[in-house]
Structure formats: structure tokens, C-alpha cells
């Protein structure tokens, strides 16, 4: 069975997106940091080897138009309270004991990313911020892993959990569940991948998703954590984003699409192989219909 592609349309603006609370808080904190840069620059220059960076922390509440109340934890290695008072007594900032200075931040952050695993943690750095690790799995899963491994993470190495590691829409809508044997999806946010366009159709054969490549050795398809399947307004099976605040129009099953960078899965889910047979498994990162991409 073949579904028609969606009628191509000229992309005049970004796909529909509603900023999350996390997004709005990050934008607000950045503005506050920019406003206080003169003080923070003097502090950073004079306290080199002592200053461990700033961490912006939120507390839920009605302040700042419902964003909550904001506090800037300023980390120091030596005499935190006295160190901060030399530069400001603004109650926006609170002194805190750090475990390393910004001079060491690159070494510390990268060592921890390697210890945790680069498929789960990636390091990040900011102008005045304490360094951070972007965590690609849900917070509860990471906390269980931290207890299991006995990780004692430095006080001023922030852990940043993305709302995109916990989609709020199901993988399969109730209208397609009975048609699909097994839906294989990654359990974490995909890391940075090469910017590349590749084209093929993803088809459903006997309840299993295959990439319809040339030849007879078509691989099974595995999808990103944020990908789901539903029936669109015309009743056709199609892919969709699993984030209710971000709903770009993805391709219909059976149509040629832009699959982005593909990587072969070395250790595919045993349930997928049991349900769909022993085949290669390929993870795809994009599901935009080819008719809308790059003038194809």
C-alpha cells in the first residue's frame, strides 16, 4: 500500500514551536547575566584560580511572570562569602563552595564526560558559567545510574537535563498499534551528527519498518527517541514528533524522505530481531519528506 506524499509547500517560517519553561528560564537568566557582566568580569579577572563559575538556579513560584525566583550561585575555592563580598552585595548572588576553579574546568568536565560515557554526557562551557554536562537520558535514569556507580560529581559541575529526553507523546498512537510488530527507538537524545542528506523510503512490511534501499538486503529502521507514528487527518500512517510543543510536518510511511545521517546499530534490540527477523539495523535521524527538502 502506498500513501501519497504531502503536497509540497514553500517553507516561509520555522516549524511550529512553543518555548518550554526550561527555554524561557534559560533566556531570562542569560539576560540577567548580561546585565551584570561588568561586575562579573572584574570578579573573573581578579579571582582567577579561585572563581569556579556561576550556576543559575530556579525555584518555582509566581515571580518573573511565573518563571519563578532566580539565584546566581557563585562558586569559589577559598573563602566563598568574603570573596563575593569584595565585588557585590546584591542578593541576587549567593556564594558557594566549589570543588575546582575555572582554570581547571576543561580538564574536569571532559574527564567526567569520559567517565560517564560520551553517549550519555557531553561537556559544555560558557562565558561566566560553571561548566556543565548535557545528559542525554531522563533524570530518574541518570540518578539511578549515579547511585549504582557511586559517582560524586563536583559541586560546580552542573548537570543539565533536557526536556527532549522525556517526550510527552506516545511512540505509537492507538490507531496504529495493531499494525506494528515492534517499534525500535533509541533510549536517549541523539548526539551531534554530520550534516548530510540521504534519501530513501521507509516502508512497513508485515508490521516491521524497513529502509527500502536498492538491492535485496534492506535494513530494519530504528528511530530517534523523539519520533512517533500516528494516522494523519487523511487516515494515512505517518511519522510525527513526540514533543507536543514542536510539531514539524514529517513524511508519511512509504514515501521517499530525507533520512539524514544513518548509522548502523551494532547491538540492536533483541525484541526487534525476534519480531522482525535477523537483518541489519540502521538508525535514521531525519524523516522530512524528500519533496520539501533541498529542491528535490
Amino acid at each position: 500500500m502506498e500513501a501519497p506524499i504531502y503536497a509540497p509547500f514553500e517553507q516561509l517560517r520555522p516549524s511550529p514551536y512553543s518555548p518550554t519553561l526550561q527555554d524561557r528560564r534559560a533566556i531570562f537568566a542569560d539576560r540577567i547575566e548580561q546585565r551584570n557582566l561588568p561586575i562579573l568580569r572584574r570578579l573573573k579577572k581578579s579571582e582567577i584560580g579561585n572563581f569556579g563559575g556561576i550556576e543559575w538556579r530556579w525555584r518555582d513560584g509566581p515571580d518573573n511572570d511565573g518563571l519563578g525566583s532566580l539565584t546566581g550561585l557563585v562558586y569559589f575555592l577559598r573563602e566563598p562569602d568574603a570573596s563575593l563580598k569584595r565585588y557585590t552585595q546584591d542578593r541576587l548572588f549567593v556564594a558557594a563552595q566549589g570543588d575546582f576553579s575555572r582554570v581547571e574546568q576543561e580538564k574536569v568536565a571532559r574527564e567526567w564526560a569520559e567517565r560517564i560515557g560520551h553517549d550519555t554526557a557531553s561537556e559544555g562551557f560558557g562565558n561566566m558559567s560553571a561548566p556543565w554536562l548535557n545528559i542525554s537520558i531522563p533524570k530518574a535514569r541518570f540518578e539511578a545510574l549515579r547511585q549504582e556507580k557511586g559517582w560524586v560529581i563536583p559541586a560546580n559541575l552542573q548537570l543539565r537535563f533536557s526536556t527532549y529526553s522525556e517526550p510527552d507523546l506516545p511512540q505509537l498512537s492507538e490507531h496504529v498499534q495493531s499494525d506494528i510488530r515492534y517499534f525500535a527507538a533509541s533510549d536517549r537524545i541523539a548526539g551531534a551528527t554530520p550534516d548530510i542528506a540521504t534519501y530513501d523510503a521507509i516502508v512497513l512490511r508485515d508490521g516491521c519498518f524497513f529502509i527500502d534501499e536498492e538491492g535485496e538486503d534492506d535494513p530494519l529502521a530504528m528511530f530517534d527517541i523523539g519520533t512517533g507514528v500516528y494516522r494523519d487527518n487523511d487516515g494515512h500512517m505517518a511519522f510525527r514528533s513526540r514533543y507536543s510543543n514542536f510539531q514539524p510536518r514529517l513524511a508519511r510511511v512509504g514515501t521517499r524522505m530525507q533520512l539524514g545521517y544513518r548509522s548502523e546499530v551494532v547491538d540492536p534490540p533483541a525484541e526487534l530481531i525476534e519480531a522482525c527477523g535477523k537483518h541489519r539495523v540502521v538508525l535514521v535521524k531525519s524523516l522530512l519528506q524528500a519533496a520539501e527538502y533541498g529542491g528535490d
Side-chain angles (χ1 to χ4, degrees), residues 3-208:
I5 63 170
Y6 291 109
F9 63 90
E10 186 178 357
Q11 189 84 7
L12 298 176
R13 58 185 181 277
S15 297
Y17 171 70
S18 300
T20 63
L21 176 63
Q22 187 180 55
D23 295 334
R24 293 166 57 214
R25 282 177 167 179
I27 293 169
F28 187 92
D30 185 65
R31 288 175 182 163
I32 295 296
E33 183 174 306
Q34 293 298 317
R35 188 184 305 165
N36 288 276
L37 269 183
I39 293 173
L40 298 177
R41 283 173 175 157
R42 292 200 300 271
L43 185 158
K44 178 182 177 182
K45 179 179 179 180
S46 302
E47 300 295 331
I48 191 168
N50 184 29
F51 175 51
I54 297 172
E55 177 184 352
W56 295 105
R57 286 194 181 176
W58 288 93
R59 183 180 295 113
D60 292 337
D63 301 316
N64 300 310
D65 293 327
L67 294 180
S69 58
L70 178 66
T71 300
L73 291 187
V74 188
Y75 290 99
F76 297 93
L77 287 183
R78 301 178 299 274
E79 301 180 325
D81 289 326
S83 296
L84 180 61
K85 285 178 181 177
R86 284 196 287 268
Y87 303 92
T88 181
Q89 296 192 27
D90 188 335
R91 291 194 295 178
L92 171 68
F93 299 106
V94 175
Q97 180 66 53
D99 291 324
F100 60 91
S101 73
R102 282 174 53 89
V103 175
E104 308 169 276
Q105 67 174 4
E106 187 171 337
K107 174 176 176 289
V108 171
R110 289 184 173 160
E111 283 180 352
W112 272 98
E114 185 173 343
R115 184 183 306 185
I116 294 170
H118 288 291
D119 62 335
T120 300
S122 59
E123 64 272 22
F125 308 95
N127 183 24
M128 296 292 173
S129 299
W132 63 84
L133 296 177
N134 293 309
I135 306 299
S136 64
I137 60 177
K139 185 174 183 178
R141 281 181 53 198
F142 181 82
E143 293 299 339
L145 189 61
R146 174 156 62 172
Q147 291 187 16
E148 177 187 335
K149 301 290 186 180
W151 292 330
V152 181
I153 295 172
N156 52 323
L157 179 59
Q158 304 174 63
L159 299 178
R160 294 190 175 182
F161 298 92
S162 173
T163 54
Y164 290 99
S165 66
E166 302 188 57
D168 59 340
L169 296 176
Q171 287 181 332
L172 305 176
S173 73
E174 59 180 345
H175 302 102
V176 301
Q177 290 177 2
S178 61
D179 298 314
I180 298 171
R181 287 180 181 271
Y182 186 83
F183 186 78
S186 173
D187 63 349
R188 64 198 64 213
I189 301 172
T193 57
D195 184 12
I196 187 171
T198 62
Y199 298 91
D200 274 314
I202 291 183
V203 296
L204 189 66
R205 296 177 184 154
D206 194 22
C208 298

